Amino acid sequence: MLTSICGINWGDEGKGRMVDLLSSDFDVVCRYQGGNNAGHTVINDKGKFILNLLPSGILREDVVNVMGNGMVIDLKHLSGEIERLREKGIRISPENLKISDKAVITMPYHVMQDCLEEDRLAGKKFGSTRRGIAPVYADKYMKKAFRMGELLHFDRLLARLPDIVEWKNLTVEGGYHAERVTVEAMREYFENYGLPPKDYICDVGVYLNEAHKAGKKIMFEAQLGALRDIDFGIYPYTSSSSTIAAYAPIGAGVPNLQLDNSIGIMKAYSSCVGEGPFVCEYFGEKAERLRALGGEYGAATGRPRRVGPFDVLASRYGIRCQGAREIALTKLDVLSDYEEIEVCVGYELDGKRLREFPFTDVLADCKPVFEKVKGWHCDISACRRKEDLPKEALDYIAYLEKACDCYIKYVSVGAEREAYIVM
Ligand code: GDP
Ligand code: MG
Protein backbone atom coordinates (compact mmCIF):
# COMPACT_ATOMS: atom_id res chain seq x y z
CA MET A 1 0.00 0.00 0.00
CA LEU A 2 1.47 3.30 -1.14
CA THR A 3 0.23 6.61 0.24
CA SER A 4 1.49 10.06 -0.47
CA ILE A 5 1.21 12.92 2.01
CA CYS A 6 1.45 16.17 0.16
CA GLY A 7 0.87 19.88 0.59
CA ILE A 8 -2.16 21.55 -0.98
CA ASN A 9 -1.06 25.15 -0.49
CA TRP A 10 2.26 27.08 -0.43
CA GLY A 11 3.97 24.82 2.12
CA ASP A 12 4.06 24.80 5.93
CA GLU A 13 0.61 23.24 6.05
CA GLY A 14 1.73 20.95 8.86
CA LYS A 15 2.85 18.02 6.72
CA GLY A 16 5.57 16.99 9.16
CA ARG A 17 3.14 16.78 12.06
CA MET A 18 0.62 14.79 9.98
CA VAL A 19 3.31 12.39 8.76
CA ASP A 20 4.42 11.95 12.36
CA LEU A 21 0.84 11.18 13.36
CA LEU A 22 -0.19 8.97 10.44
CA SER A 23 3.12 7.09 10.27
CA SER A 24 1.97 4.98 13.20
CA ASP A 25 0.11 2.95 10.57
CA PHE A 26 3.08 2.75 8.19
CA ASP A 27 6.24 0.69 7.98
CA VAL A 28 8.24 2.97 5.69
CA VAL A 29 8.40 6.75 5.23
CA CYS A 30 10.19 8.20 2.17
CA ARG A 31 11.22 11.72 1.30
CA TYR A 32 11.18 12.07 -2.48
CA GLN A 33 12.21 15.62 -3.30
CA GLY A 34 13.85 18.77 -1.96
CA GLY A 35 16.68 19.20 0.48
CA ASN A 36 17.36 20.92 3.76
CA ASN A 37 15.26 23.89 2.72
CA ALA A 38 12.41 21.91 4.28
CA GLY A 39 11.41 22.64 7.84
CA HIS A 40 9.05 20.09 9.32
CA THR A 41 8.11 20.70 12.94
CA VAL A 42 7.10 17.68 14.95
CA ILE A 43 6.08 17.74 18.61
CA ASN A 44 5.54 14.40 20.33
CA ASP A 45 6.30 12.57 23.58
CA LYS A 46 10.05 12.68 22.81
CA GLY A 47 10.15 16.48 22.49
CA LYS A 48 10.11 19.11 19.78
CA PHE A 49 12.01 18.43 16.57
CA ILE A 50 12.62 20.37 13.38
CA LEU A 51 13.48 18.04 10.54
CA ASN A 52 15.11 19.37 7.39
CA LEU A 53 16.47 16.35 5.53
CA LEU A 54 15.41 13.26 7.42
CA PRO A 55 11.92 11.82 6.83
CA SER A 56 9.55 12.52 9.73
CA GLY A 57 9.22 8.77 10.37
CA ILE A 58 12.69 8.83 11.91
CA LEU A 59 11.05 9.66 15.25
CA ARG A 60 9.24 6.30 15.33
CA GLU A 61 11.22 3.28 16.48
CA ASP A 62 9.82 0.76 14.03
CA VAL A 63 9.60 2.87 10.88
CA VAL A 64 12.21 2.54 8.12
CA ASN A 65 13.08 5.87 6.50
CA VAL A 66 14.16 6.39 2.92
CA MET A 67 15.77 9.41 1.32
CA GLY A 68 15.04 9.06 -2.38
CA ASN A 69 16.81 9.92 -5.63
CA GLY A 70 14.63 13.03 -6.05
CA MET A 71 16.35 14.63 -3.05
CA VAL A 72 19.40 16.86 -2.84
CA ILE A 73 21.52 16.19 0.23
CA ASP A 74 23.86 18.63 1.96
CA LEU A 75 26.34 16.25 3.61
CA LYS A 76 27.36 18.63 6.38
CA HIS A 77 23.75 19.37 7.22
CA LEU A 78 22.88 15.68 7.22
CA SER A 79 25.67 14.91 9.63
CA GLY A 80 24.55 17.73 11.98
CA GLU A 81 20.90 16.68 11.82
CA ILE A 82 21.71 13.06 12.65
CA GLU A 83 23.92 14.24 15.52
CA ARG A 84 21.21 16.50 16.99
CA LEU A 85 18.62 13.71 16.89
CA ARG A 86 21.00 11.20 18.47
CA GLU A 87 21.62 13.64 21.31
CA LYS A 88 17.87 13.55 21.97
CA GLY A 89 17.95 9.77 22.11
CA ILE A 90 16.72 8.99 18.59
CA ARG A 91 18.25 5.81 17.18
CA ILE A 92 19.57 6.13 13.63
CA SER A 93 21.24 3.21 11.89
CA PRO A 94 21.34 1.57 8.44
CA GLU A 95 18.41 -0.49 9.71
CA ASN A 96 16.06 2.50 9.90
CA LEU A 97 17.66 4.95 7.45
CA LYS A 98 18.37 4.20 3.80
CA ILE A 99 19.75 6.82 1.43
CA SER A 100 19.43 6.42 -2.33
CA ASP A 101 22.70 6.04 -4.20
CA LYS A 102 21.08 8.22 -6.87
CA ALA A 103 20.30 11.17 -4.59
CA VAL A 104 22.31 14.25 -5.50
CA ILE A 105 24.86 15.90 -3.20
CA THR A 106 24.56 19.59 -2.37
CA MET A 107 28.07 21.05 -2.36
CA PRO A 108 29.35 24.09 -0.42
CA TYR A 109 29.66 25.92 -3.75
CA HIS A 110 25.94 25.47 -4.36
CA VAL A 111 25.18 27.25 -1.12
CA MET A 112 27.73 29.92 -2.08
CA GLN A 113 26.23 30.32 -5.55
CA ASP A 114 22.74 30.62 -4.05
CA CYS A 115 23.91 33.43 -1.74
CA LEU A 116 25.87 35.19 -4.50
CA GLU A 117 22.79 35.20 -6.71
CA GLU A 118 20.41 36.40 -3.98
CA ASP A 119 22.86 39.20 -3.17
CA ARG A 120 23.15 40.11 -6.83
CA LEU A 121 19.36 40.27 -7.11
CA ALA A 122 19.16 42.39 -3.94
CA GLY A 123 15.72 44.09 -4.03
CA LYS A 124 14.47 41.76 -6.79
CA LYS A 125 15.25 38.58 -4.88
CA PHE A 126 13.12 35.46 -5.10
CA GLY A 127 13.29 34.64 -1.43
CA SER A 128 15.63 31.68 -1.65
CA THR A 129 16.39 29.83 1.56
CA ARG A 130 20.10 30.24 0.58
CA ARG A 131 20.74 26.53 1.02
CA GLY A 132 21.96 25.87 -2.49
CA ILE A 133 18.82 24.13 -3.68
CA ALA A 134 18.30 25.83 -7.06
CA PRO A 135 22.02 25.61 -8.06
CA VAL A 136 22.28 21.93 -7.13
CA TYR A 137 19.14 20.97 -9.06
CA ALA A 138 20.45 23.02 -11.99
CA ASP A 139 23.72 21.04 -11.87
CA LYS A 140 21.76 17.78 -11.67
CA TYR A 141 20.11 18.56 -14.99
CA MET A 142 23.38 19.92 -16.41
CA LYS A 143 24.78 16.50 -15.47
CA LYS A 144 27.55 18.11 -13.43
CA ALA A 145 26.45 16.94 -9.99
CA PHE A 146 27.80 14.30 -7.62
CA ARG A 147 25.50 11.55 -6.39
CA MET A 148 25.52 9.77 -3.06
CA GLY A 149 26.55 6.46 -4.62
CA GLU A 150 29.82 8.02 -5.79
CA LEU A 151 30.92 8.17 -2.17
CA LEU A 152 31.16 4.39 -2.35
CA HIS A 153 33.64 4.72 -5.23
CA PHE A 154 35.73 7.45 -3.73
CA ASP A 155 38.72 7.22 -6.09
CA ARG A 156 36.53 7.72 -9.10
CA LEU A 157 34.77 10.62 -7.41
CA LEU A 158 38.11 12.26 -6.68
CA ALA A 159 39.15 11.76 -10.29
CA ARG A 160 36.03 13.63 -11.46
CA LEU A 161 36.41 16.42 -8.93
CA PRO A 162 39.01 18.72 -10.61
CA ASP A 163 36.99 19.01 -13.82
CA ILE A 164 33.82 19.89 -11.97
CA VAL A 165 35.61 22.44 -9.79
CA GLU A 166 37.17 24.05 -12.85
CA TRP A 167 33.76 24.25 -14.49
CA LYS A 168 32.17 25.70 -11.36
CA ASN A 169 34.84 28.38 -11.15
CA LEU A 170 33.74 29.67 -14.56
CA THR A 171 30.62 30.83 -12.70
CA VAL A 172 31.84 31.53 -9.19
CA GLU A 173 35.13 33.22 -10.04
CA GLY A 174 34.56 34.15 -13.66
CA GLY A 175 30.94 35.29 -13.36
CA TYR A 176 30.51 36.54 -9.81
CA HIS A 177 34.19 37.44 -9.18
CA ALA A 178 33.96 35.56 -5.89
CA GLU A 179 36.64 33.51 -4.19
CA ARG A 180 37.76 30.43 -6.17
CA VAL A 181 36.44 27.03 -5.22
CA THR A 182 39.37 24.67 -4.56
CA VAL A 183 39.69 20.94 -5.13
CA GLU A 184 41.26 20.58 -1.66
CA ALA A 185 38.33 22.20 0.13
CA MET A 186 35.84 20.03 -1.74
CA ARG A 187 37.86 16.90 -1.06
CA GLU A 188 37.82 17.82 2.63
CA TYR A 189 34.05 18.28 2.51
CA PHE A 190 33.63 14.79 1.09
CA GLU A 191 36.08 13.28 3.57
CA ASN A 192 34.65 15.01 6.64
CA TYR A 193 30.97 14.62 5.92
CA GLY A 194 30.61 12.16 3.04
CA LEU A 195 32.31 9.11 4.38
CA PRO A 196 30.28 8.62 7.59
CA PRO A 197 26.88 8.20 5.82
CA LYS A 198 28.35 5.49 3.54
CA ASP A 199 26.66 2.73 5.50
CA TYR A 200 23.23 4.13 4.69
CA ILE A 201 23.70 4.36 0.92
CA CYS A 202 22.05 1.71 -1.26
CA ASP A 203 19.69 1.10 -4.16
CA VAL A 204 16.57 1.97 -2.18
CA GLY A 205 14.39 0.73 -5.06
CA VAL A 206 15.38 -2.84 -4.25
CA TYR A 207 14.46 -2.36 -0.61
CA LEU A 208 11.16 -0.58 -1.40
CA ASN A 209 10.04 -3.20 -3.93
CA GLU A 210 10.73 -5.98 -1.46
CA ALA A 211 8.92 -4.11 1.28
CA HIS A 212 5.96 -3.55 -1.04
CA LYS A 213 5.85 -7.22 -2.03
CA ALA A 214 5.90 -8.21 1.62
CA GLY A 215 2.76 -6.12 2.14
CA LYS A 216 4.45 -3.28 4.01
CA LYS A 217 2.75 0.11 4.06
CA ILE A 218 4.82 2.83 2.43
CA MET A 219 4.30 6.55 2.87
CA PHE A 220 5.78 9.34 0.77
CA GLU A 221 6.39 12.62 2.52
CA ALA A 222 6.46 15.81 0.47
CA GLN A 223 8.25 18.98 1.27
CA LEU A 224 6.46 22.22 0.29
CA GLY A 225 3.06 22.41 -1.37
CA ALA A 226 1.48 22.22 -4.81
CA LEU A 227 1.87 25.95 -5.36
CA ARG A 228 5.65 25.65 -5.00
CA ASP A 229 6.00 22.78 -7.45
CA ILE A 230 8.49 23.52 -10.22
CA ASP A 231 5.93 22.76 -12.97
CA PHE A 232 2.55 23.47 -11.42
CA GLY A 233 3.40 26.14 -8.87
CA ILE A 234 3.76 29.90 -9.12
CA TYR A 235 6.93 29.69 -11.26
CA PRO A 236 9.50 31.24 -10.91
CA TYR A 237 8.58 31.68 -7.23
CA THR A 238 8.66 27.94 -6.77
CA SER A 239 11.00 25.38 -5.37
CA SER A 240 13.28 23.60 -7.84
CA SER A 241 11.78 20.13 -7.52
CA SER A 242 8.50 18.27 -8.04
CA THR A 243 6.43 18.45 -4.88
CA ILE A 244 3.52 16.71 -6.60
CA ALA A 245 2.19 13.37 -5.32
CA ALA A 246 2.39 11.73 -8.75
CA TYR A 247 6.16 12.25 -8.69
CA ALA A 248 6.52 10.53 -5.32
CA PRO A 249 7.14 6.96 -6.59
CA ILE A 250 9.72 8.30 -9.06
CA GLY A 251 11.52 10.54 -6.59
CA ALA A 252 11.54 7.81 -3.96
CA GLY A 253 13.02 5.18 -6.25
CA VAL A 254 10.06 3.02 -7.30
CA PRO A 255 8.86 4.35 -10.69
CA ASN A 256 7.26 0.92 -11.25
CA LEU A 257 4.78 1.32 -8.39
CA GLN A 258 1.59 3.32 -8.26
CA LEU A 259 0.00 5.29 -5.46
CA ASP A 260 -3.03 3.82 -3.72
CA ASN A 261 -3.89 7.04 -1.92
CA SER A 262 -2.92 10.67 -1.76
CA ILE A 263 -3.63 12.61 1.43
CA GLY A 264 -3.50 16.36 1.01
CA ILE A 265 -2.55 18.58 3.92
CA MET A 266 -4.53 21.78 3.73
CA LYS A 267 -4.37 24.67 6.15
CA ALA A 268 -7.51 26.27 7.60
CA TYR A 269 -6.12 29.65 6.44
CA SER A 270 -3.27 30.64 4.12
CA SER A 271 0.44 31.25 4.66
CA CYS A 272 3.25 31.79 2.23
CA VAL A 273 6.91 32.18 3.04
CA GLY A 274 9.11 34.18 0.68
CA GLU A 275 8.27 36.07 -2.48
CA GLY A 276 5.69 35.61 -5.20
CA PRO A 277 2.09 36.57 -5.91
CA PHE A 278 -0.25 35.77 -3.02
CA VAL A 279 -3.67 37.11 -3.96
CA CYS A 280 -5.46 36.45 -0.67
CA GLU A 281 -2.74 38.18 1.38
CA TYR A 282 -3.62 40.20 4.47
CA PHE A 283 -1.65 43.33 5.34
CA GLY A 284 -1.24 45.51 8.40
CA GLU A 285 -3.09 44.72 11.60
CA LYS A 286 -5.17 41.94 10.04
CA ALA A 287 -1.97 40.16 9.00
CA GLU A 288 -0.24 40.71 12.32
CA ARG A 289 -3.16 39.26 14.24
CA LEU A 290 -3.36 36.08 12.14
CA ARG A 291 0.44 35.68 12.05
CA ALA A 292 0.61 35.93 15.84
CA LEU A 293 -2.33 33.54 16.35
CA GLY A 294 -0.83 30.97 13.97
CA GLY A 295 2.80 31.44 15.04
CA GLU A 296 3.67 31.91 11.39
CA TYR A 297 7.44 32.14 11.39
CA GLY A 298 9.46 29.80 9.11
CA ALA A 299 10.73 26.60 10.76
CA ALA A 300 13.82 26.49 8.52
CA THR A 301 14.61 30.19 8.37
CA GLY A 302 12.66 32.02 11.12
CA ARG A 303 11.28 34.39 8.48
CA PRO A 304 7.81 35.85 9.24
CA ARG A 305 5.36 34.14 6.90
CA ARG A 306 2.87 36.13 4.83
CA VAL A 307 -0.67 35.19 5.81
CA GLY A 308 -4.24 35.45 4.56
CA PRO A 309 -7.59 33.72 4.86
CA PHE A 310 -8.35 30.33 3.30
CA ASP A 311 -8.07 30.60 -0.50
CA VAL A 312 -10.68 28.52 -2.34
CA LEU A 313 -9.29 28.88 -5.89
CA ALA A 314 -5.70 28.13 -4.92
CA SER A 315 -6.69 25.21 -2.69
CA ARG A 316 -8.97 23.67 -5.29
CA TYR A 317 -6.11 23.87 -7.78
CA GLY A 318 -3.75 22.34 -5.21
CA ILE A 319 -6.16 19.46 -4.56
CA ARG A 320 -6.42 18.80 -8.29
CA CYS A 321 -2.63 18.85 -8.83
CA GLN A 322 -2.11 16.50 -5.91
CA GLY A 323 -4.95 14.18 -6.85
CA ALA A 324 -5.80 14.27 -3.15
CA ARG A 325 -8.56 11.84 -2.21
CA GLU A 326 -8.52 12.69 1.47
CA ILE A 327 -7.73 15.98 3.14
CA ALA A 328 -6.25 16.71 6.53
CA LEU A 329 -7.30 20.23 7.52
CA THR A 330 -4.70 21.68 9.88
CA LYS A 331 -4.52 24.52 12.39
CA LEU A 332 -8.27 24.95 12.73
CA ASP A 333 -7.72 26.03 16.36
CA VAL A 334 -5.86 29.14 15.12
CA LEU A 335 -9.17 30.60 13.91
CA SER A 336 -10.88 30.24 17.31
CA ASP A 337 -10.22 33.88 18.14
CA TYR A 338 -12.44 35.22 15.34
CA GLU A 339 -16.14 36.02 15.68
CA GLU A 340 -16.37 36.02 11.91
CA ILE A 341 -13.97 34.17 9.64
CA GLU A 342 -13.07 35.50 6.23
CA VAL A 343 -12.62 33.20 3.25
CA CYS A 344 -11.14 34.20 -0.09
CA VAL A 345 -13.81 32.66 -2.30
CA GLY A 346 -12.42 33.76 -5.66
CA TYR A 347 -10.39 36.23 -7.69
CA GLU A 348 -11.55 39.08 -9.87
CA LEU A 349 -9.64 40.03 -12.99
CA ASP A 350 -10.71 43.09 -15.03
CA GLY A 351 -14.05 43.04 -13.25
CA LYS A 352 -14.70 39.36 -14.07
CA ARG A 353 -14.78 36.45 -11.58
CA LEU A 354 -12.28 33.71 -12.40
CA ARG A 355 -13.45 30.13 -12.18
CA GLU A 356 -10.00 28.54 -11.95
CA PHE A 357 -6.62 29.41 -10.48
CA PRO A 358 -4.90 31.36 -13.28
CA PHE A 359 -1.41 31.40 -14.86
CA THR A 360 1.18 32.96 -12.53
CA ASP A 361 1.66 36.17 -14.52
CA VAL A 362 -2.02 37.01 -14.21
CA LEU A 363 -2.05 36.61 -10.42
CA ALA A 364 -0.52 40.03 -9.81
CA ASP A 365 -3.58 41.68 -11.37
CA CYS A 366 -6.14 39.56 -9.52
CA LYS A 367 -8.19 41.04 -6.69
CA PRO A 368 -9.35 38.73 -3.90
CA VAL A 369 -13.06 38.33 -3.22
CA PHE A 370 -13.71 37.79 0.46
CA GLU A 371 -16.77 36.32 2.11
CA LYS A 372 -17.48 36.05 5.82
CA VAL A 373 -18.73 33.01 7.69
CA LYS A 374 -19.66 32.75 11.35
CA GLY A 375 -16.82 31.79 13.68
CA TRP A 376 -17.11 29.53 16.76
CA HIS A 377 -15.16 31.93 18.98
CA CYS A 378 -14.20 29.43 21.66
CA ASP A 379 -11.24 27.17 22.41
CA ILE A 380 -11.40 23.94 20.39
CA SER A 381 -7.88 22.71 21.13
CA ALA A 382 -9.13 20.02 23.54
CA CYS A 383 -11.68 18.58 21.07
CA ARG A 384 -10.87 15.01 20.08
CA ARG A 385 -14.13 13.85 18.49
CA LYS A 386 -16.31 15.33 15.80
CA GLU A 387 -19.10 15.66 18.35
CA ASP A 388 -16.89 17.89 20.52
CA LEU A 389 -16.61 20.56 17.83
CA PRO A 390 -18.99 23.55 17.96
CA LYS A 391 -21.57 23.76 15.19
CA GLU A 392 -19.85 26.75 13.54
CA ALA A 393 -16.59 24.81 13.28
CA LEU A 394 -18.41 21.90 11.65
CA ASP A 395 -20.10 24.38 9.32
CA TYR A 396 -16.73 25.88 8.39
CA ILE A 397 -15.36 22.41 7.57
CA ALA A 398 -18.45 21.57 5.51
CA TYR A 399 -18.17 24.94 3.74
CA LEU A 400 -14.58 24.21 2.69
CA GLU A 401 -15.51 20.69 1.57
CA LYS A 402 -18.23 22.05 -0.66
CA ALA A 403 -16.18 24.98 -2.00
CA CYS A 404 -13.20 22.77 -2.83
CA ASP A 405 -15.11 19.60 -3.69
CA CYS A 406 -13.02 17.48 -1.35
CA TYR A 407 -13.33 15.10 1.58
CA ILE A 408 -11.86 16.34 4.86
CA LYS A 409 -11.04 13.22 6.82
CA TYR A 410 -8.78 14.65 9.55
CA VAL A 411 -8.80 17.95 11.37
CA SER A 412 -5.95 19.09 13.58
CA VAL A 413 -6.56 21.45 16.49
CA GLY A 414 -3.09 21.74 17.98
CA ALA A 415 0.56 21.10 17.23
CA GLU A 416 0.88 18.06 19.51
CA ARG A 417 0.65 14.57 18.02
CA GLU A 418 -2.70 13.73 19.64
CA ALA A 419 -4.43 17.06 18.92
CA TYR A 420 -6.52 15.86 16.01
CA ILE A 421 -9.97 14.60 15.12
CA VAL A 422 -10.99 11.89 12.66
CA MET A 423 -14.12 13.11 10.90
P1 GDP B 1 5.36 21.62 7.26
O1 GDP B 1 6.52 22.29 6.60
O2 GDP B 1 4.19 21.44 6.33
O3 GDP B 1 5.72 20.34 7.95
O4 GDP B 1 4.83 22.62 8.40
P2 GDP B 1 5.72 23.47 9.44
O5 GDP B 1 6.19 22.57 10.50
O6 GDP B 1 6.72 24.30 8.73
O7 GDP B 1 4.64 24.50 9.99
C1 GDP B 1 3.50 24.08 10.68
C2 GDP B 1 3.50 24.74 12.06
O8 GDP B 1 2.22 24.63 12.65
C3 GDP B 1 4.43 24.07 13.06
O9 GDP B 1 4.94 25.05 13.92
C4 GDP B 1 3.52 23.09 13.80
O10 GDP B 1 3.98 22.78 15.10
C5 GDP B 1 2.25 23.86 13.85
N1 GDP B 1 1.03 23.08 13.81
C6 GDP B 1 0.78 21.95 13.07
N2 GDP B 1 -0.51 21.57 13.21
C7 GDP B 1 -1.08 22.47 14.05
C8 GDP B 1 -2.41 22.63 14.56
O11 GDP B 1 -3.34 21.89 14.28
N3 GDP B 1 -2.62 23.71 15.38
C9 GDP B 1 -1.63 24.58 15.71
N4 GDP B 1 -1.94 25.60 16.52
N5 GDP B 1 -0.38 24.46 15.24
C10 GDP B 1 -0.11 23.42 14.42
MG1 MG C 1 7.71 23.94 6.80
Side-chain angles (χ1 to χ4, degrees):
M1 226 265 299
L2 278 71
T3 300
S4 155
I5 305 245
C6 49
I8 296 301
N9 311 117
W10 294 264
D12 302 322
E13 297 94 345
K15 293 175 296 295
R17 78 80 84 227
M18 287 314 290
V19 171
D20 175 64
L21 169 69
L22 299 173
S23 57
S24 66
D25 279 343
F26 285 80
D27 306 291
V28 184
V29 176
C30 312
R31 272 277 305 268
Y32 62 89
Q33 47 79 223
N36 56 314
N37 51 336
H40 294 172
T41 314
V42 179
I43 302 172
N44 58 31
D45 49 355
K46 296 192 181 108
K48 179 176 176 177
F49 303 88
I50 293 175
L51 300 169
N52 304 126
L53 278 170
L54 293 167
S56 304
I58 201 75
L59 303 173
R60 289 198 183 264
E61 281 287 323
D62 39 7
V63 168
V64 175
N65 295 271
V66 170
M67 296 168 68
N69 51 277
M71 287 191 75
V72 289
I73 301 176
D74 181 315
L75 298 172
K76 185 174 176 188
H77 194 96
L78 178 68
S79 130
E81 195 167 323
I82 291 178
E83 205 51 47
R84 276 196 301 281
L85 288 178
R86 283 202 176 126
E87 277 165 15
K88 289 193 176 176
I90 306 297
R91 181 184 61 88
I92 301 174
S93 75
E95 294 296 298
N96 71 337
L97 178 64
K98 303 190 186 295
I99 303 177
S100 169
D101 50 4
K102 298 171 195 71
V104 167
I105 299 174
T106 307
M107 299 293 291
Y109 53 71
H110 291 128
V111 179
M112 184 179 168
Q113 218 183 317
D114 204 354
C115 295
L116 287 169
E117 179 57 13
E118 279 291 287
D119 292 345
R120 187 189 72 83
L121 286 168
K124 301 173 288 175
K125 67 178 188 290
F126 279 28
S128 161
T129 50
R130 294 175 177 255
R131 299 201 168 174
I133 309 298
V136 64
Y137 273 111
D139 282 8
K140 170 178 173 174
Y141 289 100
M142 295 277 283
K143 293 161 286 182
K144 300 279 191 191
F146 294 100
R147 304 201 292 175
M148 292 300 284
E150 290 182 70
L151 295 169
L152 305 178
H153 310 280
F154 204 57
D155 286 344
R156 260 182 252 166
L157 181 152
L158 289 182
R160 208 158 83 81
L161 183 59
D163 256 358
I164 300 276
V165 165
E166 191 185 312
W167 172 75
K168 188 50 69 179
N169 276 325
L170 295 176
T171 309
V172 168
E173 192 191 27
Y176 289 102
H177 309 294
E179 203 179 320
R180 263 184 89 72
V181 179
T182 67
V183 172
E184 296 70 46
M186 294 310 111
R187 184 190 170 124
E188 258 171 50
Y189 174 73
F190 284 127
E191 281 171 350
N192 290 343
Y193 305 107
L195 301 182
K198 263 167 60 169
D199 295 343
Y200 305 108
I201 300 168
C202 60
D203 179 347
V204 299
V206 172
Y207 166 75
L208 287 172
N209 268 295
E210 274 168 14
H212 178 65
K213 264 194 209 131
K216 297 233 158 101
K217 290 166 102 179
I218 301 173
M219 176 193 283
F220 301 108
E221 173 184 20
Q223 172 229 351
L224 288 165
L227 296 159
R228 299 291 191 189
D229 178 80
I230 183 79
D231 291 294
F232 299 98
I234 47 172
Y235 187 90
Y237 303 97
T238 57
S239 199
S240 306
S241 59
S242 297
T243 65
I244 293 295
Y247 179 76
I250 299 172
V254 280
N256 55 312
L257 300 181
Q258 262 152 35
L259 290 178
D260 297 291
N261 195 12
S262 164
I263 305 177
I265 313 301
M266 182 167 95
K267 205 154 162 162
Y269 56 95
S270 302
S271 75
C272 166
V273 74
E275 312 300 315
F278 185 40
V279 178
C280 68
E281 184 166 14
Y282 274 168
F283 298 95
E285 265 172 44
K286 254 179 158 179
E288 270 159 40
R289 180 177 176 200
L290 184 52
R291 185 178 301 123
L293 288 168
E296 294 298 342
Y297 299 89
T301 56
R303 291 183 287 186
R305 292 174 186 150
R306 299 156 72 194
V307 293
F310 184 87
D311 185 325
V312 170
L313 272 202
S315 302
R316 221 168 53 203
Y317 175 72
I319 292 169
R320 165 155 66 89
C321 289
Q322 298 290 18
R325 294 200 208 149
E326 297 173 352
I327 295 289
L329 185 71
T330 55
K331 305 192 85 164
L332 190 65
D333 56 301
V334 171
L335 301 180
S336 296
D337 203 44
Y338 292 90
E339 275 180 55
E340 280 186 316
I341 299 171
E342 244 172 9
V343 177
C344 175
V345 292
Y347 302 163
E348 248 179 39
L349 181 67
D350 304 328
K352 285 199 202 90
R353 267 295 273 279
L354 297 182
R355 298 176 64 85
E356 297 292 341
F357 189 72
F359 188 66
T360 312
D361 297 45
V362 175
L363 285 170
D365 300 323
C366 289
K367 304 265 172 304
V369 181
F370 294 127
E371 225 173 75
K372 278 186 177 148
V373 299
K374 207 161 177 291
W376 44 95
H377 203 52
C378 64
D379 186 3
I380 56 167
S381 59
C383 297
R384 292 293 175 270
R385 294 171 314 159
K386 191 176 170 182
E387 302 77 64
D388 299 340
L389 284 172
K391 180 182 176 300
E392 293 80 5
L394 291 171
D395 287 348
Y396 184 68
I397 296 165
Y399 179 97
L400 299 188
E401 279 187 321
K402 184 154 181 265
C404 298
D405 190 20
C406 67
Y407 162 47
I408 297 177
K409 181 169 177 187
Y410 310 93
V411 171
S412 83
V413 292
E416 306 75 27
R417 188 183 270 176
E418 298 309 324
Y420 76 101
I421 298 164
V422 181
M423 302 300 287

